[in-house]
Amino acid sequence: MIYKKKISLGAFLKKGEDFKENDIIEIASEGKEVEGQFGMQNIFMIKVKDKEGNISFNQTTINNLIDGYGENSINWIGKKAKVWEILSNVQGKMKKVYYFLHPETELDDKTGQFIIPGINKTEEIPIINEDSEYGA
């Protein structure tokens, strides 16, 4: 028989109860990648209001925090994040999905992506109409 090592993580916070949309949380750990019921999960301890507990960060959250605070999650400890709650279709059912994003994050109306103004810059590629303009 093959056994998998289990890690005791402590209590998990409840979505919609312990934290809600627009709450500001503080990241309290560098996170751990653990195998959960639905595959690998990124578990972080957070502080919100007068509570402290664990929560799973989805990949969108991780990507946004990398953009805002860098790739090394140990540097995220003590940093703030804003809770976003978005109604999404998950496996055919409409469910609230929670994101923990850099406090300056905005939702881009054109692309539907989360951006941090001043950090996520999209450069427009110039259109060249005639080759003769550029000596070709």
Side-chain angles (χ1 to χ4, degrees):
M1 179 171 273
I2 297 174
Y3 291 95
K4 291 188 180 186
K5 186 176 178 180
K6 304 244 180 199
I7 300 171
S8 177
L9 296 172
F12 277 75
L13 297 176
K14 293 182 181 165
K15 300 171 184 178
E17 291 180 30
D18 295 324
F19 57 88
K20 296 180 177 94
E21 178 153 32
N22 295 321
D23 281 349
I24 300 295
I25 62 106
E26 180 181 329
I27 301 168
S29 76
E30 65 183 291
K32 292 185 181 344
E33 190 174 68
V34 298
E35 180 133 12
Q37 184 178 2
F38 302 106
M40 296 306 289
Q41 295 181 334
N42 296 295
I43 307 298
F44 285 79
M45 179 172 281
I46 64 169
K47 296 177 185 177
V48 58
K49 302 174 188 165
D50 59 345
K51 295 185 179 186
E52 185 175 272
N54 292 309
I55 195 70
S56 176
F57 282 2
N58 58 38
Q59 194 60 51
T60 299
T61 292
I62 300 283
N63 292 345
N64 179 269
L65 294 174
I66 289 170
D67 288 345
Y69 297 129
E71 292 179 348
N72 190 343
S73 65
I74 200 158
N75 295 329
W76 303 354
I77 298 173
K79 301 285 195 242
K80 305 290 185 199
K82 183 177 178 182
V83 178
W84 285 65
E85 176 185 298
I86 297 189
L87 196 60
S88 296
N89 187 331
V90 179
Q91 297 179 337
K93 296 178 183 175
M94 296 306 288
K95 294 187 175 191
K96 292 178 184 175
V97 177
Y98 289 84
Y99 301 95
F100 304 86
L101 307 175
H102 187 280
E104 296 175 23
T105 298
E106 296 176 359
L107 187 59
D108 186 320
D109 292 335
K110 293 178 185 173
T111 65
Q113 295 181 333
F114 294 115
I115 59 165
I116 305 170
I119 294 176
N120 303 107
K121 295 179 183 176
T122 56
E123 295 180 24
E124 290 196 24
I125 299 171
I127 298 171
I128 301 172
N129 293 325
E130 292 183 30
D131 290 338
S132 61
E133 288 181 50
Y134 298 96

